[in-house]
C-alpha cells in the first residue's frame, strides 16, 4: 500500500468511528484484545487511527503505519464491523 492509500483507508475508519460517537482511547497495554469489550476495541481503533495517519506521511515510520492499520482492522473485525473480505477489499488499489 502507498502512504496515500493508508491515509485514505484510515480516514474512512476514523470518520465511521467518529459518526458512531467513539472516543479515541488507548487500551491498557497489559490487557489482551480478547478481554476488551466492543466499545473498548472501537475506542482503541480510533486511537490507532490518529497515529496511523501521522506515520503514513513519514517514510521512516511507514512500517509502523502499516502495523497500526493492521491492528485497526483487526479491532473492527473482532467487533463484527467488517469481514475479512471487506477489509481485503479496502486495502486493494482503487
Amino acid at each position: 500500500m502507498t502512504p496515500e492509500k493508508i491515509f485514505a483507508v484510515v480516514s474512512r475508519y476514523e470518520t465511521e468511528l467518529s459518526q458512531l460517537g467513539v472516543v479515541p482511547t488507548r487500551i491498557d497495554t497489559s490487557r489482551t484484545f480478547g478481554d476488551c469489550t466492543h466499545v473498548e476495541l472501537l475506542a482503541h481503533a480510533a486511537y490507532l487511527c490518529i497515529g496511523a495517519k501521522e506515520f503514513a506521511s513519514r517514510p521512516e515510520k511507514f512500517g509502523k503505519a502499516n502495523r497500526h492499520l493492521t491492528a485497526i482492522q483487526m479491532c473492527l473485525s473482532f467487533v463484527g464491523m467488517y469481514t475479512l473480505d471487506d477489509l481485503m477489499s479496502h486495502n486493494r488499489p482503487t
Side-chain angles (χ1 to χ4, degrees):
M1 290 179 75
T2 65
E4 296 79 19
K5 180 67 175 184
I6 289 176
F7 192 87
V9 170
V10 171
S11 293
R12 170 189 176 162
Y13 299 150
E14 192 173 46
T15 298
E16 291 172 356
L17 292 167
S18 177
Q19 289 173 345
L20 292 172
V22 175
V23 177
T25 309
R26 184 179 190 188
I27 63 168
D28 180 340
T29 58
S30 67
R31 297 179 62 201
T32 67
F33 285 135
D35 291 334
C36 294
T37 66
H38 285 190
V39 170
E40 291 170 325
L41 288 171
L42 291 174
H44 190 64
Y47 167 82
L48 291 171
C49 285
I50 297 165
K53 287 171 57 179
E54 175 190 334
F55 299 139
S57 65
R58 296 173 51 196
E60 73 279 9
K61 296 288 187 178
F62 188 65
K64 192 165 187 167
N66 276 289
R67 291 188 296 276
H68 271 51
L69 175 59
T70 300
I72 292 163
Q73 290 181 322
M74 291 189 72
C75 289
L76 297 178
S77 180
F78 289 157
V79 302
M81 205 163 162
Y82 292 110
T83 66
L84 181 56
D85 279 338
D86 294 333
L87 297 171
M88 290 169 49
S89 176
H90 298 169
N91 294 345
R92 289 189 181 99
T94 51

